[in-house]
Amino acid sequence: MNPNLTQYWSHIASVARDSARRVGAIFAGLEINSLLEGGEEEFDYVELKSTLRWCVKEGSKKEQLQDSVVKAVAGFLNAKRGSVFIGIEDTKPTKTTIGIEADWNTFSNECNRNKDGFDRHLRQLLGNKLRPLPCLPINIEYPPLHGHQVCRIVVAPAKEPVFIGKNQGEKLYVRDGRRTVELKGEHCVGYIKRRWPDFA
């Protein structure tokens, strides 16, 4: 085949791949905007977190903030379904995209200060607090939005209860409307029987 022709088709393929990536990013942004601008009912399935562990008010790392993300994920696992967004601040009546860049700058190892480092940390966090991610119906995405990188944790209903704590003070969180609540005692037992009747 003519070398010039090969180079031409290689260039066309490269342009097509780049266009597909750009179009995919645009549609991902449109889909997220539509979800975030949905009505009250839609927000039963959406939880917004400004950051994972960077405290915006104090301007410093605060690792206990991570617990609210874990609880939100557990709540959706134990209820219907939902998405937890990290990097979007709920500044009523609007939403402000601040991204996860401040979070990844909290990592001590410079090579982890990027999306990949954030992803490894998040997966380890959820695995340690809940159970290994391959055992959970969770998908983690990193769509660009308004010039920032955000994180979206897409959660499907779990086939059995997912507790936080693993054998030491285990707690069951569920989504209740637009809140995530802990169920205790007989309420916890009753919910498990109704939600997972075959669970031993």
Side-chain angles (χ1 to χ4, degrees):
M1 183 180 281
N2 187 321
N4 290 334
L5 194 58
T6 301
Q7 187 176 6
Y8 170 77
W9 284 114
S10 176
H11 174 70
I12 291 296
S14 175
V15 170
R17 284 194 299 270
D18 183 61
S19 297
R21 280 195 296 269
R22 291 173 185 270
V23 169
I26 290 170
F27 277 101
L30 290 175
E31 191 263 342
I32 290 172
N33 279 329
S34 175
L35 185 63
L36 296 180
E37 292 170 9
E40 290 292 315
E41 183 179 343
E42 194 62 52
F43 262 84
D44 288 355
Y45 303 94
V46 175
E47 182 79 15
L48 304 180
K49 301 294 181 185
S50 302
T51 62
L52 179 63
R53 63 182 198 164
W54 176 257
C55 182
V56 176
K57 290 181 180 178
E58 298 178 8
S60 62
K61 181 174 73 173
K62 205 170 184 178
E63 294 199 1
Q64 54 265 46
L65 291 175
Q66 298 177 137
D67 292 339
S68 67
V69 172
V70 175
K71 289 176 185 177
V73 171
F76 284 130
L77 285 167
N78 291 322
K80 310 167 187 175
R81 60 179 174 83
S83 290
V84 180
F85 287 91
I86 305 173
I88 301 177
E89 190 170 18
D90 192 0
T91 51
K92 293 178 176 63
T94 61
K95 319 293 184 290
T96 303
T97 304
I98 62 176
I100 58 173
E101 293 86 351
D103 273 318
W104 73 44
N105 285 328
T106 65
F107 300 133
S108 55
N109 193 331
E110 192 171 343
C111 68
N112 288 329
R113 294 175 189 164
N114 50 45
K115 183 180 72 176
D116 292 339
F118 180 96
D119 185 72
R120 284 191 295 272
H121 178 80
L122 178 60
R123 289 175 185 276
Q124 184 176 19
L125 171 70
L126 294 174
N128 289 341
K129 296 282 187 176
L130 302 173
R131 62 181 65 162
L133 256 61
C135 303
L136 295 173
I138 289 176
N139 185 45
I140 302 176
E141 306 168 350
Y142 293 92
L145 188 65
H146 305 145
H148 287 281
Q149 185 77 68
V150 300
C151 173
R152 180 184 182 185
I153 308 170
V154 183
V155 185
K159 294 183 178 179
E160 59 183 47
V162 177
F163 295 90
I164 294 179
K166 291 184 180 177
N167 303 320
Q168 43 181 342
E170 291 184 335
K171 297 179 180 180
L172 185 81
Y173 288 90
V174 300
R175 186 73 172 180
D176 177 28
R178 297 181 66 175
R179 305 179 306 149
T180 301
V181 299
E182 180 188 355
L183 295 184
K184 300 179 181 179
E186 62 183 30
H187 299 294
C188 178
V189 174
Y191 182 84
I192 290 174
K193 285 182 178 179
R194 291 191 305 275
R195 174 75 173 76
W196 301 277
D198 298 327
F199 180 72

